[in-house]
Amino acid sequence: MKKFSKIIIAGLALLMIGSFAFAGGGQQKSKVDVGIVLPTKDEPRWVQDETRFLDALKGQANVELLFSQGDSGKEKQNVETLLTKGIKVLIICPHDGTAAAAAAEAAKKEGVTVIAYDRLINDTTAVDYYVTFDSVSVGKAQAQYLVDQLKGKTKAPLYLYAGAASDNNAFLFFQGAWEVLQPLIANGTFVIKNSSEAVALQGKKDLTRAEMAKIIGQISTNWDFNDAKRKAADNLTSASTADKGEVFILAPNDGTARAIADEFAKDTAVTKYYVTGQDAEKASVQYIIDGKQSMTVFKDVRTLVSDAVAMAKDVLAGKTPITTGSYNNGKKDVAAKQTEVVTVDKNNVKAALIDSGYYPASDFTGL
Ligand code: BGC
């Protein structure tokens, strides 16, 4: 009899927990197996990822996706919410790669497999896998594009911009770009116009992370369009007419590229500018068609999403996911699956992004 009443009490307690979950999350009884956390809804890049995740997971109710709105506190809360729903796999793109270690550790403590998505989580052993694009190649492709536009010019004015120092990728992008640009800066083909820290290091090809941090500290856009716009405007105010003319601009991604390009376009002493980007955001695809942005690096989000989903499914099925290499995060070599990137400019924009079926032609004008 005693045992029986214990069972009833336990049953009642479970019912209560169930109804709290229902009242709190509005999630009904559904158990969530895979939780996805993305950094912000305010950048088209991450909305692209959301769309592609929803497409890839159509009809699978055991997944929940939350945005952290550029706030590590909200990100940690998101992870905790998902843990209460019983996730077994967490796919997370951190807002701040170091701050997110705490969220990853909380998940790990619950036995959850943690997959870092696009951005690595630093300085923790709590991250199991990493799905990513080849970010060093992104930077190389941006720099190579600028080099290819030189066409014999020397003493070409170069303006450098970078992503947020809290994002490990910002270092990888810059590292790749610097590898390609540095020899041409050292021999005077390019002349850096907006970073004394970069000038101080221009004789050095392989920069340490601390050296890159010094440069990024000076040229960072924080992945913020307004910061990018302000920085470009300040640089143009400080620059002399001789620092302008035909200029070369390393911009880290599409959102910041558009903001920076708009500032350079307004300056009458700038006769022509070349500006890089990445993400193939729709607004930048239109800018490329219109000749306002020179290039973008296309990162096919569908591949990244399907790699992350396949990895999650393998983990749920008790299988070891396929990886192709590893990235060191300061505490461990994280097994990684990497995807290649494609350079897109006016010449191949239609073939790469529209004819390929990535975007419908009707989203653009002047194709
Ligand atoms: C991503 C880029 C993105 C940037 C800003 C980086 O970590 O790899 O695709 O443009 O963050 O959100």
Side-chain angles (χ1 to χ4, degrees):
M1 279 303 274
K2 255 191 175 168
K3 202 175 171 193
F4 188 56
S5 54
K6 264 192 195 156
I7 290 171
I8 290 180
I9 289 166
L12 276 175
L14 270 179
L15 266 178
M16 281 173 69
I17 292 167
S19 52
F20 274 127
F22 181 77
Q27 271 301 305
Q28 287 153 26
K29 295 160 253 137
S30 73
K31 204 169 68 49
V32 179
D33 289 323
V34 181
I36 302 169
V37 178
L38 295 179
T40 177
K41 221 183 164 78
D42 294 341
E43 289 175 38
R45 159 69 215 268
W46 306 112
V47 178
Q48 270 196 54
D49 294 67
E50 178 193 31
T51 309
R52 302 301 186 184
F53 264 118
L54 297 181
D55 282 353
L57 293 164
K58 222 173 262 166
Q60 302 191 37
N62 59 345
V63 176
E64 187 167 332
L65 188 150
L66 301 171
F67 281 100
S68 307
Q69 295 313 103
D71 176 349
S72 298
K74 173 120 172 77
E75 179 176 85
K76 178 103 192 301
Q77 251 176 37
N78 283 342
V79 170
E80 277 155 8
T81 302
L82 293 166
L83 290 175
T84 63
K85 295 183 179 185
I87 56 165
K88 297 192 180 66
V89 180
L90 173 67
I91 298 173
I92 175 169
C93 180
H95 162 61
D96 176 316
T98 305
E105 280 154 20
K108 200 78 218 147
K109 226 192 247 162
E110 302 291 321
V112 168
T113 298
V114 178
I115 302 173
Y117 178 82
D118 194 291
R119 297 177 178 170
L120 190 54
I121 301 174
N122 295 321
D123 295 329
T124 178
T125 54
V127 47
D128 298 287
Y129 299 104
Y130 181 32
V131 282
T132 182
F133 292 103
D134 182 347
S135 295
V136 173
S137 288
V138 171
K140 282 188 185 167
Q142 294 171 330
Q144 191 56 49
Y145 186 85
L146 295 180
V147 171
D148 292 345
Q149 311 315 308
L150 275 168
K151 308 212 166 85
K153 279 173 224 90
T154 58
K155 299 198 180 110
L158 178 65
Y159 291 79
L160 300 171
Y161 298 94
S166 57
D167 176 4
N168 191 59
N169 286 348
F171 287 81
L172 302 176
F173 301 145
F174 189 77
Q175 179 195 325
W178 187 258
E179 267 175 44
V180 175
L181 294 174
Q182 186 275 337
L184 294 164
I185 297 167
N187 73 13
T189 307
F190 282 120
V191 182
I192 300 169
K193 296 296 182 184
N194 69 330
S195 170
S196 55
E197 297 287 359
V199 169
L201 287 160
Q202 68 186 16
K204 203 169 170 211
K205 186 159 188 199
D206 295 317
L207 299 179
T208 63
R209 193 165 171 112
E211 288 167 337
M212 278 194 274
K214 277 193 186 169
I215 301 176
I216 292 173
Q218 203 169 41
I219 62 170
S220 173
T221 59
N222 292 314
W223 293 136
D224 181 305
F225 315 155
N226 292 320
D227 280 14
K229 181 181 156 68
R230 214 173 307 126
K231 198 148 271 186
D234 287 352
N235 292 159
L236 285 165
T237 305
S238 314
S240 66
T241 303
D243 295 331
K244 298 179 185 172
E246 195 165 327
V247 304
F248 296 76
I249 310 163
L250 177 77
N253 76 347
D254 282 351
T256 58
R258 294 192 302 278
I260 292 166
D262 289 349
E263 289 305 305
F264 277 79
K266 277 196 294 201
D267 192 312
T268 50
V270 173
T271 51
K272 188 169 176 57
Y273 66 84
Y274 300 96
V275 64
T276 62
Q278 74 167 298
D279 292 334
E281 286 181 6
K282 279 186 189 170
S284 279
V285 173
Q286 189 62 58
Y287 259 49
I288 289 172
I289 297 167
D290 296 342
K292 297 200 285 188
Q293 181 177 324
S294 315
M295 64 87 79
T296 187
V297 180
F298 171 41
K299 310 201 302 189
D300 191 332
V301 170
R302 292 170 305 187
T303 311
L304 205 62
V305 162
S306 70
D307 282 349
V309 168
M311 230 179 221
K313 282 185 175 161
D314 279 347
V315 171
L316 291 175
K319 291 194 252 170
T320 305
I322 297 163
T323 50
T324 50
S326 68
Y327 276 73
N328 191 280
N329 77 343
K331 280 276 166 61
K332 74 180 272 200
D333 288 325
V334 184
K337 174 106 181 12
Q338 184 167 286
T339 292
E340 294 314 309
V341 298
V342 178
T343 298
V344 171
D345 70 358
K346 211 167 183 160
N347 297 320
N348 66 341
V349 66
K350 191 167 171 297
L353 297 174
I354 285 105
D355 300 345
S356 68
Y358 198 71
Y359 290 136
S362 55
D363 286 351
F364 307 100
T365 56
L367 261 173

